């Protein structure tokens, strides 16, 4: 099944959840609501793995990068508005920063998120930090703002890698601990599981599929206990062959044109002085494969937006399966292939 162009953006997740929470109050006693946030899961794989759920497609944002997409889902803001265009970009101080390490101002607008909505509707909002635990940074604080953070449950970033069934049990334990804590009202529990860590290296292999099937079991068990269970994802990943000569080219061009490479995965950009832009673009167009697009930033980021201010002037987007990857990754994301853009919103059937 292909993703219809009309699939709603992941920026609609916040509003849809708010409506669902508000309706709960009208239809009888309000249930606890559990949201499994599973990084890196494409729509089509969710369809075949989460058999107990009704699943609809959503369209991720560009770039299909975790920091960008999760913030869009939880706040409802598009990339131009929240101003987090990827991993490496120009910060408020002028230099480039890595958003997963940066501790300092980011000027992400405070317009509320799923947790402030839940609090306003009488829920106790809890965020199982999960695989975000190792990333102590301003971006994570902004993402989880208004939630009570719950530590002590890591899954794909745990010191030793567990088997799929053990990972599923760890998720069940984390969520159950939250549901067992005393609360005056119902709880909203959001739990982050970074399957992306596994998929980068191994792809959508048998252990990953098995884990997703275990999550289906976990969701059914939580539903049987009376909770309303949802799941969503941020992007899929696509096979990407690392071309070392492209990595060398990027290093050479940064030195030659006195510029810095930012972005992440399959979408990168050059922070280059306007006077040097034409020569840089010429060099890129001569050397890159035809499957790598070279475009001006203002054609892919909104005019006047915070995101456009923060990215480099020249953007590279990998449309094919040849580009650069980090750390031996075989699967990457960040660009606009179907598998990267098409993500699930799942609701388990009562
Ligand atoms: Zn991600």
């Amino acid at each position: 099944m292909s993703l219809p162009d009309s699939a709603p953006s992941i920026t609609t997740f916040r509003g849809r959840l708010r409506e669902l929470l508000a309706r709960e109050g009208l239809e009888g006693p309000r249930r606890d609501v559990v949201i499994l946030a599973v990084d890196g899961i494409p729509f089509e794989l969710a369809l075949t793995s989460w058999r107990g759920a009704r699943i609809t497609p959503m369209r991720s944002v560009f770039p299909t990068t975790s920091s960008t997409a999760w913030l869009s889902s939880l706040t409802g803001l598009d990339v131009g508005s929240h101003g987090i265009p990827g991993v490496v970009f120009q910060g408020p101080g002028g230099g480039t920063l890595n958003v997963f390490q940066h501790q300092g101002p980011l000027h992400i607008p405070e317009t509320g998120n799923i947790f402030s909505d839940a609090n306003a509707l009488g829920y106790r909002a809890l965020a199982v930090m999960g695989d975000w635990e190792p990333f102590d940074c301003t971006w994570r604080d902004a993402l989880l703002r208004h939630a009570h953070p719950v530590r002590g449950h890591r899954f794909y970033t745990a010191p030793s890698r567990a088997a799929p069934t053990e990972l599923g049990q760890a998720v069940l334990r984390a969520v159950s601990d939250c549901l067992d804590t005393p609360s005056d009202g119902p709880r909203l529990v959001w739990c982050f599981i970074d399957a992306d860590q596994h998929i980068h290296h191994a792809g959508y292999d048998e252990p990953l599929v098995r884990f997703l099937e275990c999550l289906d079991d976990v969701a059914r068990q939580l539903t049987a206990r009376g909770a309303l269970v949802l799941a969503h994802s941020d992007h899929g990943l696509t096979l990407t062959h690392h071309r070392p000569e492209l990595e060398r080219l990027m290093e050479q061009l940064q030195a030659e044109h006195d510029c810095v490479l930012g972005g992440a995965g399959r979408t990168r950009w050059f922070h280059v002085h306007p006077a040097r832009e034409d020569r840089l673009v010429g060099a890129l167009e001569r050397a890159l494969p035809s499957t790598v697009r070279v475009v001006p930033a203002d054609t892919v980021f909104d005019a006047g937006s915070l995101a456009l201010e923060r990215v480099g002037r020249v953007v590279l987007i990998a449309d094919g399966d040849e580009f650069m990857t980090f750390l031996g990754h075989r699967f990457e994301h960040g660009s606009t292939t179907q598998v990267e853009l098409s993500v699930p919103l799942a609701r388990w059937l009562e």
Side-chain angles (χ1 to χ4, degrees):
M1 186 191 301
S2 61
L3 180 71
D5 286 339
S6 59
S9 165
I10 58 171
T11 57
T12 64
F13 176 74
R14 177 184 174 187
R16 294 163 86 174
L17 178 65
R18 189 171 49 221
E19 278 174 28
L20 186 151
L21 296 180
R23 262 203 319 274
E24 274 284 296
L26 301 175
E27 292 172 0
R30 291 181 302 170
R31 292 168 284 184
D32 292 322
V33 175
V34 174
I35 305 166
L36 304 172
V38 195
D39 200 298
I41 306 305
F43 170 66
E44 305 244 349
L45 180 61
L47 269 188
T48 54
S49 307
W50 293 340
R51 296 284 185 176
R54 179 179 300 122
I55 303 173
T56 55
M58 293 197 295
R59 178 175 288 272
S60 191
V61 290
F62 172 81
T64 49
T65 305
S66 308
S67 55
T68 308
W70 285 119
L71 197 60
S72 287
S73 282
L74 298 201
T75 62
L77 297 176
D78 61 23
V79 181
S81 303
H82 65 55
I84 303 298
V87 179
V88 176
F89 55 87
Q90 186 173 306
T96 52
L97 58 80
N98 180 313
V99 80
F100 292 128
Q101 296 165 357
H102 176 74
Q103 294 180 334
L106 277 176
H107 304 320
I108 296 169
E110 169 48 305
T111 54
N113 60 15
I114 63 165
F115 305 116
S116 60
D117 291 345
N119 290 332
L121 288 163
Y123 288 78
R124 175 169 162 74
L126 301 123
V128 177
M129 208 175 261
D131 291 315
W132 288 133
E133 268 192 41
F135 300 94
D136 192 7
C137 57
T138 299
W139 171 85
R140 187 187 67 188
D141 294 345
L143 184 78
L144 304 182
R145 202 180 272 162
H146 308 295
H148 175 76
V150 178
R151 294 174 180 272
H153 302 280
R154 283 167 60 178
F155 312 109
Y156 281 97
T157 60
S160 60
R161 184 60 55 87
T165 47
E166 291 164 7
L167 281 170
Q169 286 308 302
V171 173
L172 181 61
R173 255 194 321 277
V175 173
S176 299
D177 282 359
C178 294
L179 297 181
D180 290 342
T181 53
S183 171
D184 290 336
R187 305 156 189 86
L188 177 118
V189 180
W190 187 86
C191 178
F192 181 69
I193 305 155
D194 197 3
D196 177 89
Q197 300 263 348
H198 176 94
I199 302 160
H200 270 303
H201 295 280
Y204 298 101
D205 63 350
E206 195 277 335
L208 188 276
V209 172
R210 181 77 195 104
F211 170 67
L212 293 180
E213 290 167 352
C214 291
L215 271 192
D216 186 49
D217 286 341
V218 166
R220 289 174 198 237
Q221 288 179 55
L222 292 167
T223 304
R225 283 175 49 177
L228 177 55
V229 185
L230 310 176
H232 64 152
S233 188
D234 57 341
H235 56 73
L237 287 81
T238 194
L239 188 65
T240 308
H241 301 295
H242 179 64
R243 292 262 306 266
E245 66 273 28
L246 290 185
E247 194 169 41
R248 285 195 295 274
L249 173 72
M250 298 302 144
E251 282 165 13
Q252 181 195 330
L253 291 175
Q254 287 180 85
E256 267 177 32
H257 298 275
D258 190 24
C259 54
V260 175
L261 190 63
R266 292 163 55 84
T267 289
R268 310 286 185 96
W269 47 73
F270 281 97
H271 294 275
V272 60
H273 190 280
R276 295 173 180 267
E277 185 176 337
D278 287 347
R279 285 179 53 217
L280 174 66
V281 169
L284 286 165
E285 288 179 342
R286 280 192 297 278
L288 287 172
S290 60
T291 54
V292 179
R293 260 184 287 163
V294 181
V295 297
D298 59 8
T299 62
V300 286
F301 291 96
D302 292 343
S305 70
L306 194 52
L308 181 59
E309 275 175 36
R310 291 177 166 184
V311 300
R313 299 174 62 84
V314 177
V315 179
L316 310 185
I317 304 170
D319 289 325
D321 59 5
E322 294 190 3
F323 201 49
M324 306 166 291
T325 67
F326 287 116
L327 307 168
H329 289 177
R330 293 174 50 237
F331 286 75
E332 269 296 356
H333 54 93
S335 72
T336 56
T337 61
Q338 180 85 354
V339 74
E340 289 168 285
L341 280 171
S342 170
V343 292
L345 172 58
R347 176 177 172 165
W348 271 265
L349 304 170
E350 292 110 58

